[in-house]
């Protein structure tokens, strides 16, 4: 039975109240102090932080979000890339170029084409992919997606393999989610697009996705099928962004209450231009300042939930948001079916939307290191079965630094040996030298150093804790 756990009136009232509460300096300062001490904020407190326009408040929101980010995630940034496998779609969504009414040469990749794409992604150093597809049960049934996943996991390269395949496909049935679970997916990602039901109905003209409650309850079905690692998101630009930020939090709470595990990740895509739509037709486009404030408030509201930023954002915005809470980014992405192969052949197809950060994966990774971040290619939690509440208890126990940090360093060391030149390896060594003392557990610290020696000498690889 589909349940509507998003109370539109409640969110609207709380945001309305926040308009006046956010002028109450003492209330905001108290909420910020609570956030700084790691206390959970009430809906009213989060809504007021979202709504405040006071530059001093916003400055402090940014500082606290940055502190939380540092405390929980250190300098690690997890890397991934999307892999579009099919653009057949029966839905008509106002914002998407895969809209059924758009006329272009639709296609899905053959398994040989998947291998070609994955080869290129592997050459960029990626170990974690997100499969993306439009919704069309005839052209792109679940068994096709399962075959894609198997094909990817079966590929072995000189430098290892893709170790984690996340999946971002349309809301589906419990039976299909079971198949995804059996195929060994990482996170099942699905964006609600907007939690504001009237807007949802307006921008989804037709197709199965038009059913708000079917879409909203997708993670319940995924959880019922045994997938305890789910990633939510909204498409900022469709409805009031504050409403959608609160919607994300209510959705997360619903899952926590019912399944003891909320979102593993929250994605924060912002609407981009795409073929067949005019971005100026969307009255709720979210400006950079509002967007940054929302990202920081989400970081404060759900400190242990990873936050994902894609190449929809430009270089400058990505740099800024990394300080405010983002823990995972894509790099070198293509948003079209067959896009990696075609990019090498300099052909243009039909991207789902136009990206704003077209730098290569190498330059993104290298710049992260110049800014003292640790690009992480870690996929250990999922391979060790640390998903759902097991991951959350690890995160909340403060042990993340003894697990994620060594894994990040070992995978970066491996990346530098596989793909780096001398200069890159020197940069890696500096980062490793600076970060190693942060591993507080002595046994783990020694093991990490030992493993990195093995990676450097070619004696071993793919170590994780
Ligand atoms: N078909 C699946 C579904 O219905 O959820 C998969 C979604 S699609 C491959 C991935 C996401 O891209 C969508 O959920 C949507 O949020 C986002 N997207 C679509 N059009 C976009 C645009 N013009 N700008 C930015 N993101 C867009």
């Amino acid at each position: 039975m589909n349940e509507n756990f998003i109370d539109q009136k409640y969110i609207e009232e709380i945001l309305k109240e926040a308009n006046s509460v956010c002028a109450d300096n003492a209330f905001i300062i108290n909420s910020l102090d609570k956030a700084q001490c790691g206390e959970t904020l009430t809906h009213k407190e989060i809504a007021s932080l979202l709504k405040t326009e006071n530059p001093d408040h916003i400055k402090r929101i940014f500082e606290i979000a940055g502190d939380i980010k540092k405390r929980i995630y250190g300098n690690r940034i997890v890397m991934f890339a999307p892999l579009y496998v099919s653009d057949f779609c029966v839905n008509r969504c106002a914002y998407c170029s895969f809209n059924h009414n758009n006329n272009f040469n639709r296609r899905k990749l053959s398994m040989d084409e998947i291998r070609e794409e994955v080869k290129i992604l592997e050459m960029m150093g990626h170990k974690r992919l997100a499969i993306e597809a439009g919704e069309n049960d005839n052209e792109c049934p679940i068994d096709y997606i399962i075959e894609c996943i198997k094909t990817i996991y079966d590929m072995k390269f000189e430098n290892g393999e893709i170790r984690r395949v996340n999946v971002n496909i349309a809301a589906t049935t419990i039976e299909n989610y079971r198949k995804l679970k059996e195929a060994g997916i990482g996170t099942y990602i699905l964006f609600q697009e907007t939690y504001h039901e009237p807007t949802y109905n307006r921008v989804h003209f037709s197709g199965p996705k038009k059913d708000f409650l079917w879409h909203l309850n997708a993670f319940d079905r995924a959880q019922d099928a045994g997938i305890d690692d789910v990633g939510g998101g909204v498409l900022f630009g469709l409805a009031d962004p504050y409403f959608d930020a609160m919607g994300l939090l209510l959705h997360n709470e619903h899952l926590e209450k019912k399944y003891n595990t909320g979102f593993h990740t929250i994605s924060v895509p912002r609407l981009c231009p795409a073929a067949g739509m005019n971005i100026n037709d969307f009255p709720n486009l979210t400006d950079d300042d509002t967007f940054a404030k929302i990202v920081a408030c989400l970081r404060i509201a759900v400190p242990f939930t990873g936050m994902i930023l894609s190449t929809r954002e430009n270089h400058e915005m990505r740099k800024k948001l990394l300080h405010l809470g983002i823990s995972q980014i894509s790099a070198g992405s293509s948003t079209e079916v067959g896009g990696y192969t075609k990019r090498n052949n300099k052909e243009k197809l039909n991207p789902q939307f136009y990206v704003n950060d077209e730098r290569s994966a190498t330059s993104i990774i290298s710049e992260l290191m110049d800014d003292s971040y640790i690009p992480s290619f870690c996929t250990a939690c999922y391979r060790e079965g640390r998903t759902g509440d097991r991951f959350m208890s690890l995160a909340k126990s403060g042990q993340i630094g003894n697990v994620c940090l060594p894994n990040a360093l070992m995978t970066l060391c491996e990346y530098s040996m596989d793909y780096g030149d001398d200069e890159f390896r020197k940069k890696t060594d500096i980062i490793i030298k600076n970060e190693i003392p942060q591993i507080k557990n002595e046994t783990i610290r020694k093991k990490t150093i030992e493993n990195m020696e093995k990676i450097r000498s070619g004696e071993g690889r793919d170590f994780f804790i």
Side-chain angles (χ1 to χ4, degrees):
M1 243 283 278
N2 287 331
E3 197 187 331
N4 195 351
F5 43 83
I6 297 296
D7 185 339
Q8 188 187 327
K9 279 223 155 58
Y10 172 72
I11 301 182
E12 281 168 352
E13 269 160 25
I14 231 162
L15 287 171
K16 201 168 149 208
E17 192 189 0
N19 284 333
S20 45
V21 174
C22 71
D24 178 348
N25 197 42
F27 182 86
I28 297 276
I29 299 290
N30 184 52
S31 310
L32 289 167
D33 289 346
K34 272 178 76 181
Q36 190 148 32
C37 299
E39 283 178 49
T40 306
L41 299 191
T42 63
H43 293 158
K44 183 174 161 183
E45 287 167 334
I46 295 164
S48 333
L49 295 188
L50 282 167
K51 279 295 184 94
T52 183
E53 298 286 345
N54 178 326
D56 292 336
H57 295 163
I58 294 174
K59 185 167 170 266
R60 197 138 171 247
I61 290 172
F62 285 2
E63 282 165 6
I64 296 171
D67 287 349
I68 293 174
K69 161 87 193 298
K70 270 230 123 220
R71 191 169 74 236
I72 296 173
Y73 302 87
N75 292 325
R76 300 178 299 282
I77 303 293
V78 172
M79 309 302 300
F80 81 101
L83 173 59
Y84 281 76
V85 297
S86 168
D87 52 26
F88 288 101
C89 198
V90 292
N91 294 311
R92 287 172 55 234
C93 309
Y95 47 85
C96 181
S97 84
F98 294 172
N99 182 326
H100 180 74
N101 274 10
N102 287 352
N103 201 3
F104 66 98
N105 230 346
R106 293 181 191 256
R107 57 198 299 259
K108 72 174 181 207
L109 298 178
S110 68
M111 292 308 129
D112 279 344
E113 288 172 320
I114 297 260
R115 288 187 198 96
E116 283 307 307
E117 293 278 283
V118 173
K119 232 184 261 171
I120 297 169
L121 286 159
E122 199 278 338
M123 270 153 44
M124 293 184 202
H126 284 297
K127 298 282 181 259
R128 177 188 290 241
L129 301 184
I131 288 187
E132 311 274 342
E135 178 167 12
N136 185 319
D137 279 347
N138 293 326
E139 296 288 350
C140 179
I142 196 72
D143 291 341
Y144 167 76
I145 297 291
I146 303 294
E147 201 186 347
C148 293
I149 297 169
K150 287 199 173 125
T151 300
I152 298 170
Y153 279 142
D154 280 349
M155 291 180 76
K156 300 284 172 249
F157 304 91
E158 201 184 321
N159 294 336
E161 62 278 301
I162 299 299
R163 296 171 182 161
R164 177 179 176 124
V165 180
N166 296 338
V167 172
N168 181 3
I169 59 163
T172 186
T173 58
I174 295 190
E175 195 190 343
N176 286 349
Y177 285 129
R178 277 204 194 99
K179 290 185 179 182
L180 287 174
K181 169 78 184 165
E182 275 162 30
I185 63 163
T187 310
Y188 172 60
I189 298 167
L190 184 72
F191 305 154
Q192 180 58 33
E193 316 303 3
T194 173
Y195 288 96
H196 189 253
E197 195 171 348
T199 306
Y200 188 96
N201 292 336
R202 211 165 33 244
V203 297
H204 297 103
F205 305 132
S206 66
K209 189 165 176 176
K210 186 168 180 56
D211 186 339
F212 177 78
L213 286 184
W214 171 252
H215 199 76
L216 186 65
N217 282 254
F219 289 146
D220 296 60
R221 294 192 297 281
Q223 287 276 2
D224 290 340
I227 297 178
D228 63 357
D229 192 328
V230 298
V234 291
L235 184 53
F236 286 103
L238 299 182
D240 171 11
Y242 300 122
F243 185 99
D244 276 332
M246 291 305 295
L248 276 169
L249 299 178
L250 291 191
H251 194 170
N252 187 53
E253 283 170 21
H254 162 79
L255 294 172
E256 273 179 351
K257 242 185 257 155
K258 192 163 163 192
Y259 298 99
N260 207 19
T261 313
F263 295 138
H264 180 58
T265 54
I266 287 181
S267 298
V268 287
R270 238 187 338 169
L271 194 63
C272 295
M277 66 87 128
N278 182 347
I279 198 155
N280 297 317
D281 291 343
F282 293 81
N284 289 303
L285 296 180
T286 312
D287 63 81
D288 288 353
D289 291 343
T290 306
F291 187 55
K293 186 173 58 168
I294 289 173
V295 168
C297 287
L298 289 173
R299 177 69 303 143
I300 288 173
V302 283
F304 297 104
T305 303
M307 282 177 66
I308 303 183
L309 194 68
S310 73
T311 53
R312 290 174 181 86
E313 296 303 321
N314 66 24
H315 184 172
E316 190 193 339
M317 210 51 199
R318 300 226 299 168
K319 217 173 153 111
K320 176 171 181 174
L321 297 177
L322 283 176
H323 290 291
L324 300 182
I326 296 300
S327 55
Q328 195 174 137
I329 61 169
S330 49
S333 308
S334 162
T335 55
E336 51 199 329
V337 176
Y340 297 104
T341 316
K342 300 291 169 192
R343 182 195 282 158
N344 282 358
N345 300 340
K346 302 223 176 341
E347 282 176 53
K348 260 269 163 258
L349 292 170
N350 183 65
Q352 192 191 17
F353 50 85
Y354 300 108
V355 302
N356 283 307
D357 185 351
E358 293 193 285
R359 289 174 297 155
S360 68
T362 319
S363 66
I364 291 175
I365 290 164
S366 199
E367 185 186 290
L368 283 175
M369 292 166 74
D370 293 337
D371 293 342
S372 298
Y373 289 109
I374 317 167
S376 172
F377 300 87
C378 175
T379 53
C381 275
Y382 139 80
R383 294 160 87 201
E384 282 286 280
R386 282 191 301 259
T387 56
D389 53 352
R390 273 149 299 166
F391 172 79
M392 275 301 161
S393 43
L394 174 87
K396 289 179 183 167
S397 71
Q399 279 303 308
I400 208 165
N402 280 325
V403 177
C404 301
L405 178 57
N407 287 335
L409 294 179
M410 289 188 287
T411 56
L412 176 62
C413 180
E414 194 177 284
Y415 175 92
S416 80
M417 297 311 292
D418 290 341
Y419 308 96
D421 54 17
D422 284 349
E423 195 196 332
F424 189 92
R425 288 185 193 148
K426 266 189 214 142
K427 271 200 227 182
T428 308
D429 290 342
I430 295 172
I431 294 217
I432 291 173
K433 194 166 154 249
N434 289 341
E435 295 285 341
I436 274 285
Q438 306 304 322
I439 306 176
K440 300 297 173 213
N441 179 306
E442 201 186 329
T443 317
I444 296 178
R445 191 168 61 244
K446 279 190 182 148
K447 193 83 204 145
T448 305
I449 296 171
E450 228 176 86
N451 286 344
M452 286 194 291
E453 275 318 306
K454 286 189 188 153
I455 293 169
R456 287 194 186 98
S457 65
E459 263 177 78
R461 51 186 296 118
D462 193 12
F463 296 106
F464 58 87
I465 286 162

